Amino acid sequence: MTTTVSSVPNSVGAAGLASGTDIRSERLRALPPFLFDEIDRQKRERIAAGADVINLGVGDPDQPTPGFIVEAMDRAMRELVNQQYPAVGGGLKSFRESAANFMLRRFGVKVDPYRHIVCCIGSKDGIAHLPWAVTDPGDIVLCPDPAYPVYEIGAVLAHCRVHKLTVSAQSGWKPHFEQIPAEVARAARLMWLNYPSNPTAADADADFYARAIDWTLGTWRERPEGSRGCFLASDVAYSELYFDPANRPLSVWQAPNAEINSTPAIEFHSLSKTFNMTGWRIGFAVGHPSIISALASVKANVDSGVFNAIQAAGAVALDRFEDPEVERMRALYKARRDVIVPGLRSVGCEIEHEAGPNAGFFVWARTPLETSTGRPADSMTFAARLLREADTVVVPGAGFSPRGRDYIRIALTVDVERMKETVRRLARLKH
């Protein structure tokens, strides 16, 4: 077969594809814009000028993976079977069994490791691929606003429509299901929840999850027989980063009306933050067998799964989720929270709950009031001021949503002494 010049796109001339040509697909161009470019540029400039910049923006643990996990990985990667293609069909047997055991020991939820669990390349992988598994182009995906951006990104890449569920401090950063318009509910195929939340650090109780399930089941009853209702998807990536053992985050499967074989729901878990394994890329989803099977089918077609040795090490991590090393990490994050929360309040930031967030990896703080307007400072402007005057990087809430324009997100990712230094620098803002 001969390829003629006429088959080459017009944008490619005799010299080839011009530099700077936008060749992105419509789905990529439809993604929400990245809003942190200017802050990143200013950060690089400050570092280049020799400034000692404290980065409270990055959501990446600063501590190493516990030694017992690294040692398990070292042993597993030396086995020939683990140097070949990863296990197919949802993950390594040992990993899925450990995940099921974790669900039972941690949440009191009994699941079948083969019917109810699928291993993911980190929870982000499963979250992004879930719309491919259970939606069709044009379906509506419900996302909290503000929220972790991948919920919306996965929906857009699957050619779904996104409907934002307004959350605010007044609602406890939770959606009001009864306020979802009837026409939206009829077209909704997937609804995302995330508690403890990124970025708002809000948590949820069993009653909230029960109401979410009731609403979800209602969408199935109200549609014509044979058509699908809405699936509920819960992201609990920070379930083990809690500061009060008496108030540990819950699983959606602990709701009194949840039943693993009949409730149209799925929940995503991550080993990234709990075990300082962000770079390892491993997590799992647990849910209704049909949803798990659909997600596993997508993954079987687009990736080869998680390296078996990482799954073997992940199984050891889940088996030892109560290890003193994990408890030490929780204590470390709590100590950091207890330093930064009063420091932020000292410059006029508002933070919910007396001690700050009950769980999670972040502090969500309302910006100080501006004397000229009496309103909270714009988060982009305030973040730029923090970098300029205190050499401290935070994430502006406006980067998540216009509804976050009065907030900043602070990650608990520097040690206590650096947190104390941050507080000393914040004092500069009062002068």
Side-chain angles (χ1 to χ4, degrees):
M1 179 182 292
T2 302
T3 302
T4 62
V5 173
S6 61
S7 68
V8 180
N10 290 335
S11 60
V12 181
L17 184 65
S19 177
T21 302
D22 189 353
I23 53 81
R24 296 175 301 160
S25 65
E26 288 185 9
R27 65 176 66 87
L28 275 182
R29 289 198 296 270
L31 293 180
F34 185 72
L35 299 179
F36 305 139
D37 285 339
E38 180 62 17
I39 291 289
D40 283 344
R41 183 189 64 78
Q42 295 176 23
K43 178 185 70 176
R44 289 193 298 270
E45 286 183 356
R46 292 295 298 155
I47 293 173
D52 175 25
V53 174
I54 298 176
N55 191 349
L56 302 181
V58 62
D60 201 354
D62 62 313
Q63 298 293 303
T65 306
F68 66 86
I69 300 174
V70 176
E71 290 164 9
M73 170 74 170
D74 184 56
R75 292 191 300 270
M77 68 187 297
R78 298 176 190 279
E79 298 180 16
L80 176 59
V81 66
N82 292 331
Q83 298 167 10
Q84 299 170 332
Y85 277 117
V88 296
L92 203 63
K93 176 176 178 286
S94 62
F95 179 79
R96 296 165 84 179
E97 289 178 346
S98 290
N101 192 40
F102 168 79
M103 291 300 298
L104 182 62
R105 291 170 56 203
R106 169 64 174 85
F107 301 106
V109 175
K110 187 175 183 179
V111 300
D112 185 311
Y114 310 109
R115 297 176 60 241
H116 300 137
I117 287 176
V118 60
C119 180
C120 300
I121 310 173
S123 59
K124 182 178 181 180
D125 155 67
I127 288 166
H129 282 136
L130 183 63
W132 295 15
V134 298
T135 70
D136 294 315
D139 286 341
I140 287 180
V141 174
L142 305 173
C143 300
D145 181 25
Y148 179 49
V150 180
Y151 309 140
E152 180 177 357
I153 289 168
V156 170
L157 292 177
H159 289 292
C160 292
R161 294 174 288 160
V162 175
H163 180 82
K164 301 290 185 71
L165 301 175
T166 301
V167 300
S168 65
Q170 290 69 37
S171 71
W173 303 105
K174 298 177 183 64
H176 291 291
F177 305 117
E178 67 278 5
Q179 295 179 3
I180 299 173
E183 64 274 16
V184 171
R186 283 192 293 271
R189 187 58 53 78
L190 183 62
M191 178 169 69
W192 283 105
L193 301 176
N194 169 219
Y195 302 98
S197 166
N198 175 15
T200 70
D203 49 18
D205 58 20
D207 178 67
F208 171 79
Y209 284 131
R211 287 186 282 113
I213 290 172
D214 279 343
W215 184 89
T216 303
L217 292 173
T219 67
W220 289 78
R221 290 191 296 266
E222 294 167 10
R223 294 192 192 183
E225 187 175 351
S227 65
R228 291 180 291 173
C230 186
F231 299 100
L232 176 63
S234 174
D235 175 11
V236 291
Y238 308 104
S239 71
E240 303 314 293
L241 296 184
Y242 52 83
F243 308 125
D244 179 4
N247 190 26
R248 298 190 298 179
L250 300 180
S251 163
V252 71
W253 295 111
Q254 290 177 282
N257 55 348
E259 203 285 313
I260 196 77
N261 289 311
S262 61
T263 303
I266 186 171
E267 182 173 82
F268 290 88
H269 292 258
S270 172
L271 280 67
S272 290
K273 304 302 194 298
T274 301
F275 302 105
N276 302 329
M277 295 175 70
T278 50
W280 296 57
R281 307 315 305 140
I282 184 165
F284 68 91
V286 54
H288 187 285
S290 295
I291 310 176
I292 292 296
S293 176
L295 179 57
S297 293
V298 170
K299 290 181 55 54
N301 281 281
V302 300
D303 66 62
S304 296
V306 177
F307 179 27
N308 275 353
I310 292 179
Q311 291 192 57
V316 171
L318 290 172
D319 289 342
R320 295 178 60 173
F321 77 95
E322 296 177 299
D323 192 273
E325 187 74 5
V326 178
E327 179 56 38
R328 186 187 70 81
M329 285 306 306
R330 278 194 286 267
L332 197 62
Y333 289 129
K334 181 178 183 295
R336 296 171 179 183
R337 180 203 65 172
D338 293 347
V339 168
I340 197 62
V341 165
L344 289 165
R345 285 179 174 147
S346 72
V347 295
C349 290
E350 289 189 7
I351 300 166
E352 295 170 37
H353 308 299
E354 182 178 354
N358 295 320
F361 204 62
F362 307 106
V363 175
W364 183 242
R366 201 189 73 172
T367 55
L369 299 180
E370 292 185 322
T371 54
S372 59
T373 64
R375 282 200 37 79
D378 172 77
S379 63
M380 298 293 282
T381 302
F382 186 65
R385 185 184 175 198
L386 281 173
L387 180 56
R388 183 177 63 253
E389 299 180 24
D391 288 321
T392 299
V393 175
V394 301
V395 175
F400 294 95
S401 162
R403 298 187 185 280
R405 65 184 179 274
D406 297 345
Y407 288 84
I408 56 173
R409 192 196 74 178
I410 298 94
L412 301 173
T413 51
V414 301
D415 64 39
V416 168
E417 290 307 312
R418 292 291 273 173
M419 281 292 187
K420 291 178 179 178
E421 172 61 20
T422 300
V423 172
R424 287 191 286 270
R425 295 180 184 187
L426 289 175
R428 303 174 190 171
L429 303 184
K430 293 186 284 188
H431 302 290

